[in-house]
Amino acid sequence: MTFLPNIRLECGVMQVDGMTPKGRERFWTGVLLTPTMLGLGLGVLGSIFATLWLGFYDWDLFTAPEWVGLENYTDLPGDRRFMQSLRVTTLFSAIYVPGTVILSIAIALLLNRHVVGKSLFRLFFFLPVVTSPVAVGLVWSWIYSRDQGLLNNMLSTVGMDPVYWLGRDMALYSVVVVNIWGAVGEGMIIFLAGLQAIPKNLYEAAMLDGASRSKQFWRITLPLLIPSIFFQVILSTINAFQAFDYVYVLTSTQGGGSTMPTLVFNLYREGFKFFRMGDAAAQAVVLAGIIMVLTLIYNQLQKRWG
């Protein structure tokens, strides 16, 4: 079975022949794709239906599931751990989303100019995106360490008292910094693409009219970046409500707790520490619902102002 594409140009449109299997090729293509499609079906749709199903049961992995109806959902408002994780995640999102968007725009604006070593800077800012969160988290745990950490050593050299960066008072802000540092590379790429799509003649016309750089930013750059901003806000919001990697590595305590338990951390704890799979499934459904509602709101705002 061979697929030798024949690329030709007709009426200015590229046509590719030989890429569509026919006859027996179509049959064998279907056979070869079946395992992949089954994997995707079971892995994605199967897990969604299993989570929805588990949300109506009380199950500890060792005994038979027991039907409880909507009890797992109605108990959530009275669940102290769930409400605490919801509050922590909301605060985390309120700092993380605007911080990521603003810093990404600022870096993209700087790297959109003629800067020596621009490619190297882009690589430097994008590197955290492709680096293992566990490895990065271990490095930051050393930086934030209370006794031998880099930050506290720097504070000691100027005569200041050490800070418990990952304690309950500071953990939220410390983890937000790490998450923003890990996300600005992705945001930078999105905003660089948006900046380079803005027609240059708009800036040339503005310069002829005597518009300053700040006026060009507020009247041209920012309005034309709004679609990219909405896209990045949606991505950042989803990432904020799914924050887990850095939270687990940096803030886990003995006994399965955390100094800043987010929704996903609490979901993990309910399911795989306390073996309350029904409660964990119900929280997962609520989390998915929150993300869907926020995404729909952003989409409506984008249609209005985008």
Side-chain angles (χ1 to χ4, degrees):
M1 182 170 55
T2 58
F3 296 99
L4 298 176
N6 178 25
I7 302 174
R8 52 194 167 81
L9 199 65
E10 290 185 0
C11 302
V13 178
M14 187 172 66
Q15 303 289 336
V16 182
D17 295 335
M19 295 299 289
T20 304
K22 297 177 182 177
R24 292 185 61 187
E25 290 180 346
R26 180 174 296 180
F27 169 76
W28 283 109
T29 301
V31 170
L32 294 173
L33 285 176
T34 298
T36 302
M37 299 305 293
L38 282 175
L40 286 174
L42 293 175
V44 178
L45 295 178
S47 60
I48 291 174
F49 286 121
T51 303
L52 292 172
W53 177 80
L54 273 176
F56 299 107
Y57 285 84
D58 185 10
W59 189 36
D60 61 2
L61 290 177
F62 302 105
T63 58
E66 180 182 350
W67 170 264
V68 293
L70 293 173
E71 186 177 322
N72 290 330
Y73 293 94
T74 56
D75 285 348
L76 288 180
D79 187 333
R80 182 180 57 81
R81 284 190 295 267
F82 173 75
M83 296 307 293
Q84 182 195 16
S85 65
L86 181 60
R87 184 171 61 256
V88 168
T89 305
T90 304
L91 286 172
F92 177 86
S93 305
I95 304 172
Y96 169 81
V97 174
T100 302
V101 172
I102 293 171
L103 200 56
S104 299
I105 291 176
I107 294 172
L109 287 170
L110 288 174
L111 296 183
N112 196 42
R113 297 182 175 184
H114 296 291
V115 178
V116 178
K118 185 162 58 178
S119 299
L120 194 62
F121 282 115
R122 288 180 181 177
L123 175 65
F124 172 76
F125 285 113
F126 193 74
L127 199 57
V129 179
V130 294
T131 306
S132 164
V134 175
V136 173
L138 290 174
V139 173
W140 278 96
S141 66
W142 166 70
I143 293 173
Y144 284 140
S145 175
R146 183 165 50 174
D147 299 323
Q148 299 296 328
L150 177 65
L151 284 178
N152 280 340
N153 279 334
M154 293 171 66
L155 291 178
S156 299
T157 57
V158 296
M160 297 178 66
D161 294 330
V163 177
Y164 189 12
W165 298 102
L166 298 176
R168 293 194 180 277
D169 294 335
M170 292 295 296
L172 175 65
Y173 308 106
S174 302
V175 175
V176 165
V177 168
V178 179
N179 277 268
I180 290 177
W181 176 81
V184 291
E186 185 181 60
M188 174 198 69
I189 295 296
I190 291 171
F191 289 123
L192 270 175
L195 288 171
Q196 292 174 3
I198 298 175
K200 302 297 182 190
N201 57 356
L202 294 179
Y203 293 106
E204 293 169 358
M207 290 175 67
L208 289 176
D209 289 340
S212 62
R213 284 191 177 274
S214 63
K215 277 191 176 179
Q216 291 177 33
F217 174 77
W218 293 109
R219 301 290 179 83
I220 298 175
T221 306
L222 196 59
L224 294 179
L225 270 185
I226 285 180
S228 302
I229 292 173
F230 271 105
F231 181 69
Q232 181 60 28
V233 166
I234 291 173
L235 281 184
S236 299
T237 303
I238 293 172
N239 290 337
F241 275 87
Q242 292 182 338
F244 177 74
D245 300 331
Y246 295 134
V247 174
Y248 181 83
V249 175
L250 292 172
T251 69
S252 292
T253 60
Q254 293 183 347
S258 167
T259 52
M260 59 153 295
T262 55
L263 278 173
V264 176
F265 184 92
N266 191 59
L267 190 157
Y268 159 78
R269 181 170 53 183
E270 291 289 335
F272 299 101
K273 289 289 183 182
F274 304 146
F275 300 110
R276 291 196 280 259
M277 304 305 291
D279 291 336
Q283 293 182 23
V285 173
V286 171
L287 174 61
I290 292 172
I291 293 174
M292 287 178 65
V293 168
L294 290 174
T295 304
L296 289 174
I297 291 173
Y298 288 144
N299 279 332
Q300 291 301 316
L301 292 174
Q302 183 179 10
K303 288 178 182 176
R304 185 173 179 182
W305 291 317

